[in-house]
Amino acid sequence: MRYIVVGAGAVGGTIGGRLFQGGHDVVLVARGAHYDALRRDGLRLVTPDSAETLDIPTAREPIRLRDDDMLILAVKSQDTIAALDPWPRHLPVVCAQNGVANERMALRRFERVYGMCVWLPASHLEPGTVTAYGAPKSGMLRVGPYPRGTDDLSEQLAADLRKSSFAGSAVPDVMRWKYAKLLGNLGNACEALCGHAPGHETIMERARAEGRTVLDAAGIAHVSPEESDRHSDQVRIQPVDGVQRSGGSSWQSLARGSGTIEADYLNGEIVLIGRELGIPTPVNEVLRREANRSAREQLPPGSMSPRTLTELIDAHATAVSG
């Protein structure tokens, strides 16, 4: 199988780089300065144990296809439709993305869609370079057909991932895993807005508690924290060159000044379900709103204090309850 990784950033670059190191055929699809650096110099993949430059074939648009090609989609959710549009509809697509909306967006266009629950601590802050902080495995990746089931293709992908420095597994209920990951990702906007300033943990827990309330009211299953943490010792976050990982994907979006952020598909997912059920979601609504504002205004991460963010949340909660 040849893996075409659409979006060769932190997650896509690590998956593509590790699969390439494992002897698999890989093509990276990127854009802008990152594409230029990959074409010119190759992908520099830095891990706690090594730094290697990989000469992986790279493209910025659809390539001549083979019968055994699989798309691995690793762009942010707000870029999903644009990233998929140029590709032929017969290809199998794996959504290696946060959130739970991408698989349904892909299924409108592609017949064979797979979800991937990604636990992969990595960063991409400069063109041509991806740093993966996980050890002894680079990530824990659970994959399965959307919306449920298993098949030979997901089993093969999981096996290839296991041979390529990942803890890979095929699961029959991939969306149950992805909804659990969504709950964890509800803290991403807070980290982006406040950094790791004292008091940010309280806001994160409020967002997750609100998310659990909404998912439970909607009858949406998600794995328990205990089940999620099983085998977590296979992916421990380690420093690279003595430097700890600065922040997650939303933090990195602000750090790169990308102008967009994924909050509409993380906190916004809880807001959407809450609106459908008539359940107020003031914490996630303010996080969604303020993360989008910071991205539009290209503010750096950590520009807001936890106290200010808490005041905004409490004011919105009072307004919606009144």
Side-chain angles (χ1 to χ4, degrees), residues 56-73:
I56 305 175
T58 304
R60 57 183 166 195
E61 56 191 21
I63 59 174
R64 185 182 297 275
L65 297 176
R66 302 180 344 195
D67 291 339
D68 60 350
D69 284 336
M70 170 181 275
L71 292 182
I72 296 181
L73 187 64

Side-chain angles (χ1 to χ4, degrees), residues 18 49 134-138 165 233-236 238:
R18 284 306 207 185
D49 301 319
K137 301 293 186 180
S138 287
S165 301
D233 59 335
Q234 296 183 67
V235 186
R236 295 189 298 271
Q238 301 291 332

Side-chain angles (χ1 to χ4, degrees), residues 187-219:
N188 288 17
C190 180
E191 181 188 48
L193 291 166
C194 302
H196 299 109
H200 79 282
E201 301 97 335
T202 301
I203 302 172
M204 286 183 171
E205 184 46 46
R206 287 181 67 183
R208 291 166 182 155
E210 189 176 86
R212 286 190 293 269
T213 296
V214 167
L215 293 187
D216 290 346

Side-chain angles (χ1 to χ4, degrees), residues 301-312:
S303 295
M304 182 179 288
S305 71
R307 179 177 178 178
T308 298
L309 185 55
T310 299
E311 290 172 350
L312 290 172

Side-chain angles (χ1 to χ4, degrees), residues 65-111:
L65 297 176
R66 302 180 344 195
D67 291 339
D68 60 350
D69 284 336
M70 170 181 275
L71 292 182
I72 296 181
L73 187 64
V75 300
K76 296 292 194 298
S77 299
Q78 63 269 26
D79 299 320
T80 288
I81 293 174
L84 285 177
D85 271 348
W87 294 92
R89 299 326 196 216
H90 69 275
L91 291 172
V93 178
V94 180
C95 296
Q97 301 163 281
N98 287 333
V100 294
N102 298 290
E103 288 78 8
R104 196 161 185 262
M105 285 192 279
L107 197 62
R108 289 182 183 273
R109 296 160 177 80
F110 292 77
E111 182 178 352

Side-chain angles (χ1 to χ4, degrees), residues 14-27:
T14 302
I15 292 175
R18 284 306 207 185
L19 284 169
F20 184 80
Q21 288 175 323
H24 300 285
D25 284 345
V26 175
V27 177

